């Protein structure tokens, strides 16, 4: 999960002359090799690892939204929703805040001709 997080520019990036399908596959093969070394079984394919990362990221975002929704119900206090696991936290750390929470609005400076 950490290796996927370090390489999100390649994993989630659009195809360019430097970000090719071969580059993405090569990266997923390297990540799969690490996963299989830790797993001990060594039977996962790179497509399975990629699918697991996508599914984990999606479920972590959903779970975080549920936690935040529950916190708003309590006025910002403790949530009754179950906390994020270590893997879910790693998944969220590996993706940008915009991906997790949607488009982030920034404060606009308003100027007036009367200032």
């Amino acid at each position: 999960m950490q290796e996927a997080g370090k390489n999100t520019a390649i994993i989630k990036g659009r195809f360019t002359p430097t970000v090719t399908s071969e580059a993405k596959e090569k990266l997923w093969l390297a990540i799969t090799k690490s996963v299989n070394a830790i797993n001990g079984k060594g039977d996962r394919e790179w497509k399975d690892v990629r699918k697991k990362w996508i599914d984990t990221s999606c479920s972590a975002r959903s779970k975080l939204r549920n936690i935040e929704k529950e916190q708003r119900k309590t006025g910002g206090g403790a949530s009754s929703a179950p906390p994020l696991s270590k893997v879910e936290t790693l998944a969220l750390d590996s993706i940008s805040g915009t991906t997790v929470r949607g488009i982030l609005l920034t404060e606009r400076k308003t100027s007036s001709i009367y200032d």
Side-chain angles (χ1 to χ4, degrees):
M1 193 61 73
Q2 291 171 341
E3 286 190 43
K6 293 177 193 174
N7 297 293
T8 54
I10 295 173
I11 290 172
K12 298 187 84 166
R14 295 179 183 215
F15 290 107
T16 65
T18 55
V19 179
T20 62
S21 59
E22 291 83 18
K24 289 184 180 208
E25 184 175 336
K26 185 177 178 182
L27 177 60
W28 280 114
L29 285 169
I31 292 169
T32 302
K33 186 176 179 181
S34 297
V35 168
N36 286 336
I38 293 169
N39 187 10
K41 295 180 183 177
D43 58 351
R44 291 188 184 211
E45 295 292 324
W46 70 269
K47 289 183 180 183
D48 298 331
V49 173
R50 180 183 64 181
K51 176 79 168 120
K52 181 70 173 176
W53 183 78
I54 291 168
D55 291 347
T56 301
S57 298
C58 183
S59 67
R61 286 193 309 266
S62 177
K63 196 170 179 181
L64 179 64
R65 282 192 303 271
N66 189 35
I67 289 169
E68 290 173 344
K69 178 180 162 187
E70 292 296 317
Q71 284 178 333
R72 284 191 298 275
K73 286 182 182 178
T74 62
S79 171
S80 61
L84 295 171
S85 69
K86 288 182 181 181
V87 173
E88 291 166 332
T89 303
L90 282 171
L92 290 174
D93 288 344
S94 71
I95 54 181
S96 72
T98 304
T99 306
V100 174
R101 291 185 178 83
I103 298 173
L104 302 174
L105 300 176
T106 57
E107 291 184 36
R108 293 187 329 178
K109 291 185 177 181
T110 57
S111 62
S112 171
I113 58 171
Y114 302 108
D115 289 340

